[in-house]
Amino acid sequence: MISSNLFVLCLLLLSVFVGGDEHNHIYEENEEVVLWVNTVGPYHNRQETYLYFSLPFCSGPKETISHYHETLGEALQGVELEPSGIPIDFKGSISTTPYCEVGLSEEKLKAFTYAVKNHYWYQMYLDDLPIWGVVGEIGENNEHYIYTHKKFEIGFNGKQIVDVNLTSENKVKLENGAVISFTYEVSWKNSAVKFEDRFDKYLDPNFFQHRIHWFSIFNSFMMVIFLVGLVSMILMRTLRKDYARYNKDEEMDDMERDLGDEYGWKQVHGDVFRPSAHATFFSALIGSGYHITVVTISVILLTIVGELYTERGSLISTGIFVYAATSPVNGYFGGSLYARMGGKRWIRQMLVSAFLVPAVVCGTEFFINFIAIYYHASRAIPFGSMVAITCICLFIVLPLTLVGTVLGRNLSGQPDYPCRVNAVPRPIPEKKWFMEPAVIVALGGILPFGSIFIEMYFIFTSFWAYKIYYVYGFMLLVVLILIVVTVCVTIVCTYFLLNAEDYRWQWTSFLAAASTSGYVYMYAIYYFFFKTKMYGLFQTAFYFGYMALFSLGLGVLCGTVGYIGSSFFVRKIYSTVKID
Ligand SMILES: *[C@@H]1O[C@H](CO)[C@@H](O)[C@H](O)[C@H]1NC(C)=O
């Protein structure tokens, strides 16, 4: 009873957070247009942001309006809208007008000087269109200036706002005791831009050069064809040879066979379907991997269809929603794998499965949040959002995972392996160093990484700098190519491992594919030192925290894809060989 009430409460919470802004973007003549201020932060790190009013800016004469309702996604991204108090009316041009004054005390002077020194920018929103402005400028003799005049040029098309330009003018030197008067002016212009196209000017086709994208896709695609050809050729030839050899063995009599040289993957038929080590954790990882893959592909598709990147935070809200809604996927595949491995403690497995990803994400968030609170950054996640996330995990993700687990255990939990598992594990023979699982794992990620690293540059740059990522079609192609390459490489790895009569292929195939993320993380380290100008504890922790999260997610995705490919492969080769 209580839990069902809480469930309804959560749904309500969710609808409030996700429902968001009901603005219809239609304005009548002289209707009020609200200018929202959002954040300030250093230019070199888009993700390090503080509240606009954490700098001693002053707000305009307009009475403050109630706090803006954020969506959950916005709150998680650190969007923190406050009304600026600057009066603007639709089509009402305003010539230069002062809107407030700040007397520079020692403390305020210090804050502004710090902001100017660190190239702070502030961000505002007008009718959901983002506007950026620079706080100040450093003069020739290292004196600091602040811009005091904001010139808004707003383009309208019919009753809708389609374009906003902000120019910062009139710099004033920062001096102790000075009184700084902030002014603004607004001019309205008829514009031919269509309302649907008003975000186009924020997209940067010069940066996201389609030529480079096509080139890299073409490259990766060639690699895919090459790999698929190579894998099928090697396997066809080798397997045919192996089968021929095994068949010949059969024709020999027992005496001969005892002396014969049986070797290779067939030898481990009694062990290859032995449950993997740490079955609970392994099946939870695979379940989560299926889940992450489904969420990634659905969110990319939804973004392509809905152009989600034009709305603040809607990508994250959608991601959370899709994640919660597709939880049964996690339970189904994790639970059925665990059942096939003969696992009995399925409730424990389900709990690990359901909370693995949320726990890692929230753990990292908690760590970053801790630093963000210390620095008073707007990135600190509000308490309400934390409660909402916890509610979603407990009352949506958990029950749906339970449903999935029960279904998975009952529908595909039967171990229908082609070979029986021997009672006693076979000893693993000595082998050459390059056949060791650790080496295979380390090498496995190179090719998959090679197929994605160009796209990584674009994704990193749009996350950490002022670019809006919008080429999601390319991203989808890259993800598909990554999946194919990963599967091919992992199958080859698994073949080598089994041929060396090492049957521990489950973890090896997972980790060999997942090691892609190790290379991505190394690339992230390179990117940090050579492509960004970040500095300080906050930015460093923030960067490496989020990159670790990203890499882990990618690793679980690749690992699962690799494992799925290998398990098909293993099942296939052992179901065609005759076991005596
Ligand atoms: C904003 O600036 C761009 C580029 O300078 C210009 O093309 C556009 O017309 C301006 N918009 C308005 C409303 O003035």
Side-chain angles (χ1 to χ4, degrees):
M1 191 59 209
I2 290 174
S3 78
S4 77
N5 278 343
L6 273 174
F7 182 70
V8 171
L9 182 77
C10 279
L11 278 187
L12 278 179
L13 265 179
L14 196 66
S15 66
V16 167
F17 279 118
V18 176
D21 176 16
E22 283 146 17
H23 251 234
N24 55 8
H25 301 291
I26 305 271
Y27 294 90
E28 298 301 329
E29 202 107 337
N30 290 327
E31 192 179 332
E32 155 187 68
V33 179
V34 185
L35 177 67
W36 300 93
V37 294
N38 183 20
T39 51
V40 289
Y43 178 71
H44 294 304
N45 183 0
R46 181 170 75 137
Q47 302 292 334
E48 179 183 351
T49 52
Y50 306 94
L51 294 187
Y52 179 83
F53 287 115
S54 69
L55 282 185
F57 284 125
C58 50
S59 64
K62 202 153 194 181
E63 286 287 304
T64 47
I65 313 159
S66 63
H67 191 76
Y68 190 66
H69 281 291
E70 295 153 2
T71 64
L72 185 55
E74 285 183 336
L76 293 178
Q77 272 190 329
V79 172
E80 196 75 52
L81 299 187
E82 300 276 352
S84 65
I86 297 178
I88 297 177
D89 294 329
F90 191 63
K91 292 200 205 170
S93 289
I94 300 172
S95 58
T96 304
T97 312
Y99 67 88
C100 66
E101 282 181 352
V102 177
L104 285 185
S105 61
E106 186 106 22
E107 204 177 314
K108 291 179 178 176
L109 176 69
K110 240 170 77 187
F112 276 133
T113 310
Y114 181 84
V116 172
K117 216 185 247 163
N118 288 285
H119 307 281
Y120 268 40
W121 283 59
Y122 55 85
Q123 202 211 9
M124 304 178 154
Y125 278 102
L126 189 123
D127 192 48
D128 283 352
L129 288 172
I131 315 166
W132 287 273
V134 64
V135 172
E137 199 183 86
I138 306 177
E140 300 231 314
N141 306 318
N142 210 21
E143 67 277 27
H144 299 94
Y145 293 98
I146 185 167
Y147 285 109
T148 59
H149 183 64
K150 296 179 177 54
K151 184 171 155 199
F152 295 96
E153 290 166 305
I154 309 178
F156 62 91
N157 187 349
K159 292 180 171 181
Q160 292 171 314
I161 295 176
V162 291
D163 189 15
V164 186
N165 289 344
L166 168 62
T167 324
S168 300
E169 287 172 358
N170 193 17
K171 51 188 183 183
V172 171
K173 196 167 171 184
L174 286 168
E175 277 168 325
N176 204 352
V179 175
I180 292 179
S181 167
F182 287 96
T183 54
Y184 77 111
E185 91 182 81
V186 183
S187 59
W188 291 83
K189 287 181 193 158
N190 220 328
S191 167
V193 177
K194 286 208 199 73
F195 183 74
E196 303 81 61
D197 301 332
R198 63 182 193 152
F199 273 94
D200 287 358
K201 78 165 195 178
Y202 299 102
L203 312 179
D204 185 353
N206 285 333
F207 172 70
F208 291 102
Q209 290 181 21
H210 286 200
R211 274 227 331 268
I212 295 191
H213 271 96
W214 281 121
F215 180 72
S216 98
I217 297 265
F218 181 74
N219 254 353
S220 314
F221 192 68
M222 283 293 138
M223 187 157 97
V224 166
I225 292 184
F226 171 73
L227 264 179
V228 172
L230 189 76
V231 168
S232 40
M233 204 177 70
I234 292 180
L235 293 192
M236 284 306 154
R237 279 184 58 141
T238 334
L239 286 177
R240 203 171 327 127
K241 242 197 248 161
D242 292 343
Y243 284 132
R245 187 157 54 80
Y246 290 141
N247 282 337
K248 207 168 81 214
D249 287 349
E250 233 142 65
E251 283 154 20
M252 297 187 278
D253 54 37
D254 285 351
M255 169 73 179
E256 260 174 299
R257 197 178 318 159
D258 281 347
L259 299 172
D261 55 348
E262 265 207 353
Y263 60 90
W265 52 266
K266 190 187 166 189
Q267 292 299 86
V268 289
H269 65 81
D271 294 283
V272 63
F273 296 110
R274 191 178 293 289
S276 72
H278 312 291
T280 309
F281 185 50
F282 187 72
S283 48
L285 269 181
I286 297 296
S288 304
Y290 270 100
H291 197 179
I292 292 177
T293 312
V294 169
V295 171
T296 307
I297 293 181
S298 332
V299 169
I300 295 179
L301 285 176
L302 284 175
T303 311
I304 294 174
V305 175
E307 301 204 331
L308 294 180
Y309 51 83
T310 58
E311 276 163 60
R312 283 190 305 271
S314 64
L315 200 60
I316 296 187
S317 301
T318 313
I320 293 175
F321 178 77
V322 173
Y323 184 87
T326 53
S327 298
V329 171
N330 183 346
Y332 184 90
F333 289 102
S336 61
L337 178 65
Y338 187 66
R340 283 199 302 276
M341 288 188 183
K344 295 280 177 286
R345 304 174 65 183
W346 66 274
I347 295 190
R348 191 178 69 148
Q349 187 276 334
M350 183 204 67
L351 290 175
V352 175
S353 220
F355 291 126
L356 186 65
V357 173
V360 171
V361 173
C362 292
T364 316
E365 282 289 345
F366 182 78
F367 165 71
I368 294 171
N369 217 12
F370 193 70
I371 298 176
I373 291 171
Y374 179 76
Y375 281 87
H376 304 289
S378 74
R379 273 302 182 138
I381 294 169
F383 182 70
S385 315
M386 288 197 198
V387 173
I389 293 281
T390 315
C391 273
I392 292 174
C393 286
L394 286 181
F395 303 114
I396 300 178
V397 173
L398 187 60
L400 288 181
T401 313
L402 175 67
V403 171
T405 307
V406 171
L407 282 179
R409 288 185 67 83
N410 289 309
L411 295 183
S412 68
Q414 261 58 47
D416 49 350
Y417 298 128
C419 314
R420 249 178 326 148
V421 176
N422 291 346
V424 185
R426 191 174 186 277
I428 295 165
E430 286 279 318
K431 49 188 174 289
K432 299 221 175 58
W433 63 269
F434 55 83
M435 289 292 178
E436 289 296 334
V439 179
I440 292 182
V441 165
L443 297 180
I446 293 178
L447 281 183
F449 172 68
S451 70
I452 56 169
F453 88 94
I454 294 182
E455 200 60 28
M456 283 297 123
Y457 172 75
F458 291 104
I459 294 175
F460 287 3
T461 308
S462 44
F463 190 74
W464 297 108
Y466 293 87
K467 300 279 178 211
I468 295 180
Y469 191 90
Y470 69 99
V471 286
Y472 284 90
F474 283 119
M475 197 195 255
L476 185 65
L477 277 181
V478 169
V479 169
L480 295 180
I481 287 176
L482 173 69
I483 288 177
V484 176
V485 172
T486 307
V487 167
C488 291
V489 168
T490 321
I491 288 178
V492 176
C493 291
T494 306
Y495 178 77
F496 281 132
L497 187 81
L498 291 177
N499 232 2
E501 298 176 18
D502 190 337
Y503 56 82
R504 299 169 295 181
W505 63 275
Q506 287 113 326
W507 274 106
T508 310
S509 64
F510 181 87
L511 292 175
S515 70
T516 309
S517 68
Y519 292 101
V520 169
Y521 202 67
M522 279 193 248
Y523 180 66
I525 295 174
Y526 162 81
Y527 187 89
F528 181 81
F529 286 110
F530 295 99
K531 303 279 182 198
T532 71
K533 293 182 181 153
M534 298 186 200
Y535 52 87
L537 174 68
F538 179 57
Q539 298 188 0
T540 312
F542 203 79
Y543 179 88
F544 286 104
Y546 272 108
M547 283 305 184
L549 216 50
F550 174 77
S551 302
L552 280 178
L554 187 74
V556 175
L557 189 157
C558 290
T560 303
V561 166
Y563 169 78
I564 298 170
S566 302
S567 67
F568 270 111
F569 168 74
V570 168
R571 185 174 278 269
K572 183 106 193 89
I573 62 173
Y574 284 95
S575 58
T576 32
V577 74
K578 271 203 231 97
I579 309 292
D580 27 50

